[in-house]
Amino acid sequence: MGRGKHTMQDALNSLPEPTPQCPVARVLGPRGQNLHEIVVARSVVADDINKLLNPENKPWFTTLAQLPPKYRSVVWVKRGGYVMVDLTE
């Protein structure tokens, strides 16, 4: 198996659990080369990250997310879909 097959198997078979640092977010749409605008609910985000990313204290906030390079030719992100986002990076 080549690197691409391992990456595909990893993307399809891994079942990560959402955490306050890695919540589930909804994709609003593409915003450039491998950038996607997402909306995250405030209630699922850790307090220290929420203060940094959401100073207006809204029930949700939007931000940009970047797809890691190893998944760019394996995973396609669709508008209206859900993704897990690592907010610590």
Side-chain angles (χ1 to χ4, degrees):
M1 281 185 153
R3 181 181 177 275
K5 289 187 180 181
H6 286 293
T7 303
M8 184 181 298
Q9 292 300 322
D10 182 37
L12 294 175
N13 295 329
S14 65
L15 297 172
E17 293 288 326
T19 63
Q21 288 79 23
C22 296
V24 175
R26 187 165 189 261
V27 178
L28 297 177
R31 295 294 179 254
Q33 184 106 2
N34 301 308
L35 290 175
H36 301 278
E37 187 176 13
I38 59 168
V39 62
V40 183
R42 179 182 60 147
S43 61
V44 298
V45 179
D47 289 334
D48 54 339
I49 296 172
N50 188 32
K51 289 177 187 173
L52 178 67
L53 295 175
N54 189 12
E56 297 92 25
N57 206 19
K58 295 179 183 176
W60 50 267
F61 62 93
T62 60
T63 187
L64 288 177
Q66 183 177 14
L67 188 64
K70 72 178 190 177
Y71 294 115
R72 289 184 184 160
S73 62
V74 177
V75 176
W76 286 266
V77 180
K78 207 171 163 184
R79 182 183 297 122
Y82 292 90
V83 294
M84 286 191 65
V85 187
D86 186 4
L87 296 175
T88 58
E89 293 182 11

